[in-house]
């Protein structure tokens, strides 16, 4: 394995781990922003138990929840145009756009103040959209590693989840005396690293799959080792290795149109599978701070302790995600049944992954619904485990169930549609604050029941694989008897 491939993999892992999904560490940043007085004007005096005067900051909490709702929506919904951008113009253009958005986001947070708190609305959205472009352009690195493709894809998604711990680091630095502005200005300067990686360690277009022999990419001494196109003597463009279909099976698979993929049963159930679990996670993250405030009776030291514990567990996403990849890749290198295609084998291996992810979500939701403070440590563990399985499994399933030429569009579309569904988190939050009097118990029970719908997807894939296997056995029996 070449040094360049190893460097591409390692730097991509660092990029996803330290930058891509920072927005999901929102609970840690909220703690800092409250200390800095952001939206503090929304806190009002209220009469509590026994006629005591208490400070009601539900309006402040609602504003922070709205920022996260919009950012998480933009993170997913704009993955659709970003997917088209990636498929149409390639890696370099998509990454330059992502770097620009991410840098603008960090600068806006750096120059926001308690006087200008509304800068957080565009800032967090730009951070989210720029970060998801980092992830999209990095997932193709799995194509460099053949039989470990799904493992690499899930590992990068796990690193994306773990990057939410970046805001924990900023929180700890803030408690040590380093200002919020200094931290985010430093993050802005890191854009230079993203630019260098774009030009020297990634292809201009895409990494092909399967990978051709002697494949090279990137820029060396100002020249691309793999030209984007070569022009023949008669003036016709000659397709490069990045664009050439590599085998007959790939040609057949790519004949499936984007519309056919979109209308398939796999896509519909996969969308439902992702949407219900993602809503559960987003509502949990967006309401974590007020939930801890309620369970700790507002004791700041305990809220900080549990917020830190949640952020630390997010680091484990990069450790949990490869387990899912190994589950999906466990059949690689083993002999397949007579007549079984690689795609069929991949789908059969994905059933266990999809089922375990659904089961984890239900267990996480049950724990999150239980109003017992020490149990939340287990909730944090189940949340990061399930989230790493969810997003890694999402990308890996799309890459194996549909043609690679549609990956960016399908990944973008499923994320965009699930984002529309995740907008329900804000009315859910408003319902808890209003009609339910701040007690989320009934809302959590409803979300747990909703999570059970996720089991439809693994069941659907299992029945498909069994039906295909049965048909293949009949064909083999007829062939043997003739």
């Amino acid at each position: 394995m070449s040094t360049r491939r190893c460097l591409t993999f390692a730097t991509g892992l660092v990029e996803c781990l330290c930058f891509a999904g920072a927005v999901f560490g929102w609970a840690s940043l909220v703690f800092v922003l409250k200390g800095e007085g952001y939206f503090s004007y929304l806190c009002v005096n209220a009469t509590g138990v026994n006629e005591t005067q208490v400070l009601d900051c539900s309006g402040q909490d609602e504003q922070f929840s709205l920022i996260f709702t919009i950012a998480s929506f933009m993170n997913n919904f704009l993955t659709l145009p970003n997917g088209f951008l990636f498929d149409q113009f390639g890696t370099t253009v998509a990454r330059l756009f992502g770097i620009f958005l991410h840098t603008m986001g960090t600068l806006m947070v750096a120059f926001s103040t308690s006087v200008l708190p509304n800068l957080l609305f565009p800032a967090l959205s730009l951070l989210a959209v720029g970060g998801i472009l980092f992830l999209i352009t990095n997932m193709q690195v799995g194509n460099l590693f053949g039989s470990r493709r799904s493992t690499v894809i899930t590992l990068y998604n796990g690193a994306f989840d773990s990057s939410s711990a970046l805001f924990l680091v900023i929180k700890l630095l803030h408690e040590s005396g380093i200002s919020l502005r200094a931290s985010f200005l430093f993050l802005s300067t890191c854009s230079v690293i993203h630019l260098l990686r774009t030009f020297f360690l990634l292809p201009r277009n895409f990494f092909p799959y399967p990978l051709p022999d002697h494949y090279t990419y990137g820029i060396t001494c100002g020249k691309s080792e793999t030209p984007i196109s070569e022009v023949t003597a008669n003036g016709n463009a000659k397709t490069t290795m990045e664009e050439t279909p590599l085998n007959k099976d790939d040609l057949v698979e790519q004949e499936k149109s984007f519309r056919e993929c979109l209308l398939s049963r796999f896509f519909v159930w996969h969308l439902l599978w992702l949407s219900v679990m993602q809503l559960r996670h987003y509502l949990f993250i967006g309401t974590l701070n007020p939930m801890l405030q309620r369970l700790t009776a507002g004791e700041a030291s305990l809220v900080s302790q549990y917020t830190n514990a949640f952020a630390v567990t997010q680091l484990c996403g990069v450790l949990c995600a490869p387990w899912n990849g190994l589950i999906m890749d466990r059949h690689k290198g083993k002999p397949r049944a007579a007549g079984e295609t690689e795609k069929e084998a991949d789908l059969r291996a994905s059933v266990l992954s999809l089922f375990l992810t659904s089961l984890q979500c239900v267990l996480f939701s049950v724990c999150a619904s239980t109003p017992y403070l020490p149990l939340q440590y287990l909730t944090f563990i189940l949340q990061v485990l399930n989230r790493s399985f969810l997003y890694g499994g999402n990308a890996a399933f799309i890459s194996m169930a549909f043609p690679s030429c549609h990956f960016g569009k399908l990944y973008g579309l499923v994320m965009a549609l699930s984002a529309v569904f995740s907008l329900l988190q804000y009315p859910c939050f408003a319902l808890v604050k209003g009609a339910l009097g701040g007690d989320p118990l009934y809302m959590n029970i409803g979300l747990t029941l909703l999570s059970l719908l996720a089991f439809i997807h693994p069941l659907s894939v299992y029945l498909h694989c069994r039906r295909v296997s049965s048909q293949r056995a009949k064909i083999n029996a007829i062939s043997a008897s003739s």
Side-chain angles (χ1 to χ4, degrees):
M1 189 179 296
S2 70
T3 303
R4 174 166 292 189
R5 289 189 194 181
C6 293
L7 198 56
T8 298
F9 167 75
T11 54
L13 189 62
V14 170
E15 187 172 79
C16 290
L17 185 60
C18 297
F19 302 96
V23 69
F24 294 103
W26 178 238
S28 297
L29 190 61
V30 165
F31 193 87
V32 176
L33 296 173
K34 282 187 173 182
E36 291 285 318
Y38 282 68
F39 300 112
S40 58
Y41 63 87
L42 295 173
C43 293
V44 296
N45 289 318
T47 303
V49 182
N50 299 326
E51 301 296 323
T52 57
Q53 290 292 311
V54 295
L55 194 62
D56 181 9
C57 290
S58 59
Q60 183 188 38
D61 289 336
E62 191 169 347
Q63 201 74 354
F64 283 129
S65 178
L66 182 60
I67 292 172
F68 180 74
T69 299
I70 294 172
S72 58
F73 170 76
M74 298 294 281
N75 173 79
N76 284 4
F77 189 75
L78 291 187
T79 307
L80 175 58
N82 287 341
F84 275 92
L85 176 73
F86 177 58
D87 282 349
Q88 186 67 33
F89 298 103
T91 303
T92 300
V93 172
R95 282 184 60 82
L96 291 176
F97 183 56
I99 292 167
F100 170 75
L101 294 180
H102 197 270
T103 306
M104 289 298 296
T106 53
L107 288 173
M108 282 186 176
V109 177
F111 290 103
S112 68
T113 63
S114 57
V115 181
L116 291 171
N118 288 327
L119 272 179
L120 292 176
F121 282 94
L124 265 291
S125 294
L126 290 172
L127 277 174
V129 178
I132 199 67
L133 271 168
F134 288 160
L135 177 63
I136 290 174
T137 54
N138 274 311
M139 282 192 291
Q140 61 177 321
V141 173
N143 293 351
L144 294 175
F145 296 91
S147 63
R148 289 288 171 255
R149 185 187 184 205
S150 294
T151 304
V152 172
I153 291 174
T154 53
L155 180 62
Y156 274 22
N157 277 270
F160 177 85
D161 293 338
S162 294
S163 64
S164 58
L166 175 66
F167 284 171
L168 169 64
V169 174
I170 290 174
K171 174 180 178 290
L172 296 175
L173 290 174
H174 185 266
E175 291 170 351
S176 301
I178 297 176
S179 69
L180 195 65
R181 176 168 296 181
S183 295
F184 276 89
L185 285 176
F186 174 77
L187 290 178
S188 301
T189 62
C190 290
S191 297
V192 176
I193 301 172
H194 304 319
L195 287 171
L196 292 174
R197 192 167 173 273
T198 299
F199 293 112
F200 290 97
L201 292 175
L202 288 168
R204 181 175 171 185
N205 283 350
F206 313 99
F207 287 125
Y209 182 77
L211 208 66
D213 294 333
H214 311 298
Y215 175 76
T216 56
Y217 59 94
I219 297 174
T220 303
C221 300
K223 293 182 71 177
S224 172
E225 292 182 17
T226 304
I228 301 307
S229 62
E230 297 177 11
V231 179
T232 59
N234 61 6
N236 294 325
K238 181 180 175 182
T239 307
T240 67
M241 285 188 294
E242 290 187 13
E243 299 169 348
T244 305
L246 296 161
N247 55 51
K248 188 175 179 181
D249 290 340
D250 202 42
L251 280 168
V252 173
E253 177 64 23
Q254 295 208 15
E255 287 177 0
K256 195 170 185 179
S257 70
F258 175 66
R259 185 174 182 275
E260 288 173 326
C261 294
L262 189 62
L263 297 177
S264 68
R265 186 177 65 255
F266 278 173
F267 183 84
V268 173
W269 292 130
H270 186 70
L271 174 61
L272 177 69
W273 177 83
L274 176 66
S275 297
V276 296
M277 288 191 279
Q278 182 173 260
L279 174 63
R280 188 67 191 96
H281 283 275
Y282 279 5
L283 193 62
F284 178 76
I285 295 170
T287 60
L288 178 61
N289 188 266
M291 182 193 79
L292 292 177
Q293 291 278 358
R294 184 174 56 84
L295 293 179
T296 60
E299 190 175 333
S301 60
L302 268 179
V303 173
S304 179
Q305 176 186 324
Y306 275 84
T307 300
N308 289 351
F310 172 72
V312 167
T313 57
Q314 300 306 296
L315 284 169
C316 299
V318 71
L319 303 176
C320 300
W323 302 348
N324 196 17
L326 291 171
I327 290 172
M328 289 187 158
D329 284 337
R330 68 187 187 280
H331 66 291
K332 297 290 178 69
K334 297 179 181 177
R336 298 197 295 264
E340 185 180 39
T341 65
E342 184 177 356
K343 178 181 175 179
E344 290 171 24
D346 287 344
L347 287 174
R348 181 167 44 80
S350 73
V351 173
L352 179 59
S353 167
L354 297 171
F355 173 79
L356 288 176
T357 306
S358 305
L359 181 62
Q360 290 163 2
C361 184
V362 172
L363 294 175
F364 150 64
S365 189
V366 169
C367 290
S369 303
T370 307
Y372 180 58
L373 187 61
L375 184 64
Q376 300 315 307
Y377 287 122
L378 178 59
T379 303
F380 298 160
I381 294 170
L382 288 170
Q383 189 270 343
V384 72
L385 178 65
N386 183 231
R387 194 161 178 266
S388 61
F389 267 60
L390 177 64
Y391 289 107
N394 170 48
F397 182 81
I398 291 173
S399 71
M400 67 176 59
F402 304 103
S404 59
C405 61
H406 299 314
F407 175 80
K409 295 185 285 292
L410 288 171
Y411 181 80
L413 186 60
V414 78
M415 294 297 282
L417 293 176
S418 65
V420 175
F421 192 80
S422 71
L423 285 177
L424 290 172
Q425 64 182 298
Y426 188 70
C428 286
F429 181 82
L431 181 62
V432 170
K433 284 290 180 182
L436 297 179
D439 187 355
L441 178 62
Y442 292 111
M443 179 62 66
N444 285 330
I445 291 172
L447 289 170
T448 302
L449 295 175
L450 186 66
S451 300
L452 294 173
L453 293 176
F455 286 102
I456 296 175
H457 187 34
L459 178 62
S460 173
V461 178
Y462 169 74
L463 292 175
H464 168 82
C465 292
R466 193 172 71 169
R467 185 171 60 253
V468 170
S469 177
S470 176
Q471 291 172 350
R472 187 175 59 251
K474 289 179 182 177
I475 293 171
N476 290 340
I478 293 171
S479 300
S481 61
S482 60

